[in-house]
Amino acid sequence: MDSTRRFGKYRVEREVLDEQRLEEVTQRKAYAETHPSLTECLKDSFRCTVPRLKHSVMSSLPVLYWLPKYSVWDYGMPDLISGISVGIMHLPQGMAYALLASLPPVFGLYTSLYPAFIYIFFGTSRHISIGTFTVLSIMVGSVTERLAPDMDFLKTNGTNITTEVDITARDSYRVQVAAATTVLGGLIQVVLGLVKFGFVGTYLSEPLVRAYTTAAAAHAVVAQLKYIFGVSPTRFSGPLSLVYTLKDVCYLLPHTHLPTLVVSAVSMAFLIAAKELNSFLRPKLPVPIPVELITIVAGTLISSYSNLNSNYTISVVGEIPSGLSSPSVPDVSLFGEVIGDAFALAIVGYAISISLGKTFALKHGYKVDSNQELVALGLSNTVGGFFQCYSVCPSMSRSLIQETTGGKTQMAGVASALVVLVTILKLGPLFQELPKAILAAIVFVNLKGMFKQYSDVVTLWKRSKIDLVVWLVTWVSTLLFNLDLGLAASIIFALLTVIFRTQMPTYSVLGNVPGTELYVDMETHKEAREIPGVTIFRSSATVYFANAELYLEALKEKSGLDISKMIIYKRRQEAKQRRRERRAERRAKRQAKRERRAQRAAKRQSGAPVLSVEEDAGHWADTCMDGDITDNEEQGCTERENGTVFVIPVTPRTPDGPCRWEYLKGGDPDCTSLGWMSELQDGDTTTLGSSSDDTLSRDLERVSLGSLGKWTWDIHSIIIDLSTANFIDTVAIKTVKNIFQDFSEIDVDIYLAGCQASVVEQLERGDFFSESITKRSLFASVHDAVLYCLNHRGATSFPRYEPSVVSIHNLCSGES
């Protein structure tokens, strides 16, 4: 259908595109070429060609892509300097974070070595540093302490059990638990990556991750208090373990080991002062000062020459074996006990990895493959687990050092791994006299950045209250329910907020912006103008089973139509119309019988009387029917109908169209006012300018109560804008179909606009279209639907466009 309109002094020609016309224009052949069948897709996916094989190998092993192009002259020296700087950070962090995992410090060095080598071959990020991380170390520590508590490894002296713990046996079993958890978590990551499930990390929003790491920092602090104060609190696991541990530490504070506390305080003071100096001199220094390494070396030298362990009973790292350990198969029997923890480690580690990777990729202009990152991280954990490593992910501090010191490619990871390798092979035994209090102090000071995240509360209060609630719920649940259950509770609550937002979207009525084809919310855009006789309704969220009923209620409210009351009112009018027809039929019969009686009387006057028993009996019955019974019936009808609010015609019916009706304000279908209108409508006389009672009844069938707040009913069409919907389920399809059927009963046309191709396909599969609802009711845009409504209803005017509009090109030019 062509629509020609005059906007100001300009003439605009425009073809109105409904869904059926749009399909004809775009051609089904082109659609079939771009949407192959399932059989063709399967054949194409299993077809092997040389380019496809090359692409698969290159995507699975990214090192084959960047290594042949590596320029030693351009990237060699920056990567070497960056790698050495990061490797120096690996040493203290690896040993310190191993304490968080309740493992011997040397296993922190192993964790900084093997996974970093694996990631070089399979990773796609050039700047992240794979290795130990605070949050994952704490999560692993919660598993090892739960499955290998000290009480299970008490030494026996003959038949008596002493309170001394067999540390060697305990640590050996904890290493097995950590390795099994790491291997299982790595396998989960690999499987998720192979099935292209990399988007799972998107369900961990930034507020959730930051709150989770902030709460994990609190767990790390409590876990290190025993090394800071030199006490031995009882180990707790499960919900509220943090509260119980903190309570026990406070109870043991009077028994603090003073030499250990002095070492901790001096170490923390030195680290804080040195880090502040490092931050102040950072613009002038090419490489940051390795503060942690200096602290470890100085502490080891002082401890060795002062014999802190023997003279003051200060706990030290102890024996560090030189050389690399041989690989071993993890204990598969532990998989069933750690599967929940492994899944949590896999998700949290990937979320941190992909967020850091995408941050650096965006800054330096390259792309990070989320699925390949999941595979690379999974392989790093799986292979590392066979070498007694525990779960790894990138560290923010090390990654920043690698990026700020000029690292260009993954070769910086090779240099850092070589530094760790040399330390394990040759320098490891030199750190045997290192006090554990110094490692705990390093953990304390490095958590400063996570504690700064408490400022998120103020920021989120100003920006988004819902994100603030997610942050607080995540923080509280992680503190109280421990790291694994806290993560599960946080994700569930975050998903509930998404469901809540889709259930309570913003509903709006759109108006036209003069001079354009734009339709915007009339409440927020004062320049928008309402289309006469047309209501354009839009929801900010997808319509689905959870909000379909709310969608219908909002449509009633925004359009001013209480469709349920209107249909009930119409049914009442139809019932009254049927009663009027029956009464009219009885009146006609009575009139015919009166005429026959008059004829018989005339015959008697002219001749002999005619006697008929049947006629006398019929006359007696008619007299009874015309008497009290009929009067009572009509009186009862009038009394019943006195409670109905009626409308009065303000213009008489014309041959060209119906009359215009006006509502009487303050009405309710159940009220008892305005009884005189009911009497007028139930009477036998012609009233209110109508030609007959039948004419009035037919007109009453065309009207309804509508919005009780409106004086006149002037809406003939409703356009539902579905441009925000990306899917539609069976419940929503049924709801929309009911909207079409219900509004058609009150002579209001419904149209859909802006449906995406996938939504149209789902409507087709859901049997939405029928003889009464065709694709003629679907339009490519809101403006097409508006033009059709105005033409279909015989409108002669449209909101006046500004003279700045010159023309609107035909949308189908060159397509058909």
Side-chain angles (χ1 to χ4, degrees):
M1 176 184 296
D2 291 333
S3 176
T4 302
R5 296 284 175 192
R6 287 188 176 276
F7 304 142
K9 60 180 181 180
Y10 295 95
R11 180 184 180 89
V12 178
E13 295 185 358
R14 173 85 147 77
E15 181 177 0
V16 178
L17 292 178
D18 55 35
E19 184 64 26
Q20 183 173 338
R21 176 56 182 160
L22 188 61
E23 289 179 356
E24 296 173 358
V25 172
T26 54
Q27 300 177 357
R28 285 290 185 179
K29 182 178 179 181
Y31 181 84
E33 292 176 355
T34 56
H35 296 74
S37 63
L38 178 61
T39 305
E40 294 175 351
C41 291
L42 291 176
K43 290 181 179 179
D44 186 66
S45 61
F46 287 106
R47 188 179 294 115
C48 183
T49 60
V50 175
R52 176 170 294 182
L53 178 62
K54 181 180 178 181
H55 176 73
S56 300
V57 173
M58 297 283 282
S59 60
S60 301
L61 282 171
V63 68
L64 299 178
Y65 175 78
W66 61 266
L67 188 58
K69 302 178 181 180
Y70 187 80
S71 174
V72 178
W73 296 104
D74 295 334
Y75 304 143
M77 188 55 66
D79 284 342
L80 180 62
I81 296 174
S82 176
I84 293 175
S85 303
V86 174
I88 291 173
M89 290 189 65
H90 267 299
L91 301 179
Q93 289 187 0
M95 290 189 289
Y97 293 160
L99 296 181
L100 293 176
S102 298
L103 300 174
V106 68
F107 291 95
L109 297 179
Y110 294 157
T111 305
S112 301
L113 173 63
Y114 295 106
F117 269 125
I118 300 301
Y119 183 82
I120 292 168
F121 294 94
F122 298 96
T124 59
S125 177
R126 305 174 189 174
H127 295 91
I128 61 176
S129 174
I130 295 293
T132 57
F133 186 62
T134 312
V135 176
L136 296 191
S137 300
I138 300 171
M139 296 176 71
V140 173
S142 66
V143 182
T144 57
E145 292 181 4
R146 186 182 77 243
L147 298 182
D150 291 342
M151 299 299 295
D152 294 349
F153 298 93
L154 297 178
K155 291 182 178 180
T156 58
N157 185 10
T159 57
N160 297 325
I161 299 177
T162 64
T163 58
E164 187 178 355
V165 178
D166 188 352
I167 296 178
T168 303
R170 182 201 66 184
D171 291 346
S172 177
Y173 188 69
R174 286 182 176 179
V175 168
Q176 295 182 32
V177 173
T181 307
T182 301
V183 170
L184 183 57
L187 292 175
I188 292 174
Q189 289 174 328
V190 171
V191 171
L192 293 179
L194 292 178
V195 298
K196 309 299 181 183
F197 213 68
F199 67 88
V200 68
T202 59
Y203 289 99
L204 302 179
S205 63
E206 183 180 358
L208 188 149
V209 173
R210 290 176 67 88
Y212 185 78
T213 54
T214 304
H219 281 274
V221 168
V222 174
Q224 297 306 299
L225 290 178
K226 60 182 179 180
Y227 300 110
I228 297 294
F229 294 101
V231 295
S232 299
T234 306
R235 295 183 181 273
F236 300 94
S237 60
L240 299 180
S241 61
L242 180 70
V243 178
Y244 297 143
T245 303
L246 187 60
K247 178 182 177 181
D248 199 23
V249 169
C250 294
Y251 178 77
L252 294 174
L253 283 181
H255 306 283
T256 299
H257 190 246
L258 292 180
T260 301
L261 181 60
V262 170
V263 172
S264 303
V266 172
S267 301
M268 282 192 287
F270 174 77
L271 285 169
I272 293 173
K275 281 183 173 290
E276 291 298 325
L277 180 63
N278 206 2
S279 300
F280 178 74
L281 298 177
R282 179 176 296 174
K284 301 178 181 179
L285 295 176
V287 178
I289 300 174
V291 177
E292 291 92 348
L293 184 61
I294 294 174
T295 306
I296 287 178
V297 172
T300 303
L301 292 176
I302 294 173
S303 177
S304 299
Y305 287 104
S306 303
N307 295 321
L308 296 180
N309 185 25
S310 58
N311 295 335
Y312 301 98
T313 64
I314 294 177
S315 178
V316 296
V317 170
E319 182 182 358
I320 296 179
S322 60
L324 300 175
S325 61
S326 59
S328 61
V329 179
D331 189 356
V332 182
S333 62
L334 294 172
F335 282 1
E337 300 181 68
V338 300
I339 185 170
D341 303 280
F343 187 80
L345 284 165
I347 298 301
V348 174
Y350 171 68
I352 296 172
S353 177
I354 196 63
S355 60
L356 282 177
K358 288 186 175 181
T359 300
F360 290 117
L362 182 63
K363 182 177 180 180
H364 293 276
Y366 62 92
K367 185 179 179 182
V368 171
D369 188 345
S370 59
N371 292 307
Q372 183 60 29
E373 281 295 299
L374 195 53
V375 172
L377 193 62
L379 290 175
S380 300
N381 282 315
T382 303
V383 176
F386 284 90
F387 290 92
Q388 292 80 50
C389 302
Y390 62 89
S391 295
V392 297
C393 74
S395 166
M396 171 66 79
S397 59
R398 293 194 307 268
S399 300
L400 285 175
I401 293 299
Q402 182 169 326
E403 190 255 348
T404 55
T405 53
K408 302 295 183 182
T409 65
Q410 289 90 325
M411 290 300 292
V414 176
S416 65
L418 290 176
V419 173
V420 178
L421 178 62
V422 171
T423 303
I424 294 174
L425 294 177
K426 299 297 182 182
L427 305 178
L430 300 179
F431 297 105
Q432 292 180 358
E433 294 298 321
L434 174 65
K436 290 183 178 180
I438 294 180
L439 296 178
I442 292 175
V443 173
F444 250 82
V445 175
N446 285 339
L447 291 175
K448 182 182 68 172
M450 290 189 180
F451 287 130
K452 288 183 177 179
Q453 294 178 163
Y454 282 105
S455 62
D456 291 350
V457 175
V458 179
T459 304
L460 294 176
W461 174 264
K462 298 177 181 178
R463 296 181 180 178
S464 174
K465 299 297 189 298
I466 295 181
D467 287 340
L468 174 61
V469 173
V470 171
W471 197 100
L472 293 175
V473 170
T474 302
W475 183 76
V476 172
S477 60
T478 305
L479 286 180
L480 299 182
F481 301 147
N482 221 334
L483 294 173
D484 48 357
L485 295 178
L487 177 64
S490 304
I491 294 176
I492 292 173
F493 181 79
L495 294 178
L496 288 177
T497 60
V498 175
I499 297 175
F500 174 77
R501 292 184 185 188
T502 58
Q503 280 190 302
M504 303 296 292
T506 301
Y507 299 104
S508 55
V509 174
L510 307 184
N512 178 257
V513 178
T516 68
E517 294 186 6
L518 300 178
Y519 294 84
V520 295
D521 188 358
M522 295 180 61
E523 293 183 2
T524 58
H525 298 78
K526 302 303 181 183
E527 69 276 9
R529 298 292 179 264
E530 184 179 4
I531 306 300
V534 180
T535 295
I536 307 170
F537 178 74
R538 183 174 66 188
S539 170
S540 61
T542 297
V543 188
Y544 70 114
F545 69 93
N547 62 5
E549 185 175 353
L550 299 175
Y551 187 87
L552 180 58
E553 295 298 326
L555 177 60
K556 294 178 182 178
E557 179 182 355
K558 292 292 184 179
S559 63
L561 295 173
D562 192 337
I563 190 67
S564 301
K565 289 184 178 180
M566 297 173 68
I567 292 178
I568 292 174
Y569 180 78
K570 180 184 177 182
R571 301 281 166 76
R572 289 179 179 177
Q573 294 299 322
E574 291 175 348
K576 286 191 287 186
Q577 175 63 18
R578 287 192 294 270
R579 290 197 297 270
R580 294 189 193 97
E581 291 176 354
R582 289 195 297 269
R583 288 196 297 271
E585 183 178 354
R586 289 195 295 269
R587 293 189 190 100
K589 289 181 179 179
R590 292 197 301 269
Q591 183 64 31
K593 290 177 181 178
R594 292 191 189 101
E595 293 178 356
R596 287 197 296 271
R597 288 197 297 270
Q599 292 176 0
R600 287 196 297 270
K603 290 180 180 179
R604 292 191 189 100
Q605 294 177 359
S606 60
V610 179
L611 299 177
S612 173
V613 177
E614 295 178 357
E615 290 182 357
D616 289 342
H619 172 68
W620 178 82
D622 292 340
T623 304
C624 292
M625 291 181 62
D626 293 341
D628 297 334
I629 297 176
T630 303
D631 294 338
N632 292 336
E633 178 188 1
E634 292 191 5
Q635 182 179 1
C637 293
T638 302
E639 290 177 355
R640 287 193 300 269
E641 293 172 358
N642 278 345
T644 304
V645 178
F646 290 92
V647 293
I648 58 174
V650 296
T651 58
R653 169 183 288 274
T654 62
D656 296 335
C659 59
R660 179 168 171 267
W661 297 83
E662 184 175 291
Y663 291 97
L664 298 177
K665 192 176 181 181
D668 190 306
D670 298 325
C671 69
T672 57
S673 61
L674 303 176
W676 62 273
M677 282 297 298
S678 297
E679 295 175 3
L680 283 175
Q681 293 195 25
D682 286 336
D684 293 335
T685 58
T686 302
T687 59
L688 303 177
S690 298
S691 58
S692 66
D693 183 68
D694 293 338
T695 302
L696 177 61
S697 301
R698 286 194 300 270
D699 289 337
L700 284 172
E701 291 180 2
R702 299 178 55 84
V703 299
S704 57
L705 281 177
S707 173
L708 298 178
K710 285 195 174 185
W711 285 87
T712 58
W713 178 242
D714 55 358
I715 296 177
H716 54 72
S717 302
I718 295 178
I719 299 172
I720 299 177
D721 183 7
L722 291 180
S723 58
T724 58
N726 56 354
F727 73 94
I728 187 168
D729 60 5
T730 55
V731 176
I733 291 176
K734 185 178 294 185
T735 300
V736 176
K737 185 180 292 186
N738 290 337
I739 290 174
F740 271 82
Q741 295 173 351
D742 292 343
F743 280 89
S744 65
E745 290 196 31
I746 59 171
D747 199 26
V748 175
D749 298 329
I750 303 294
Y751 302 98
L752 305 181
C755 295
Q756 302 181 27
S758 59
V759 175
V760 176
E761 293 177 4
Q762 291 165 3
L763 289 173
E764 291 175 343
R765 290 196 298 267
D767 295 331
F768 176 77
F769 299 105
S770 60
E771 294 182 358
S772 58
I773 306 176
T774 65
K775 288 189 176 181
R776 292 288 185 183
S777 301
L778 272 67
F779 291 88
S781 66
V782 173
H783 191 66
D784 288 297
V786 169
L787 294 178
Y788 178 83
C789 291
L790 296 179
N791 281 320
H792 181 64
R793 287 290 185 165
T796 58
S797 63
F798 192 79
R800 189 177 181 87
Y801 277 21
E802 299 297 330
S804 58
V805 176
V806 178
S807 64
I808 301 176
H809 295 290
N810 193 319
L811 292 180
C812 300
S813 59
E815 296 182 4
S816 57

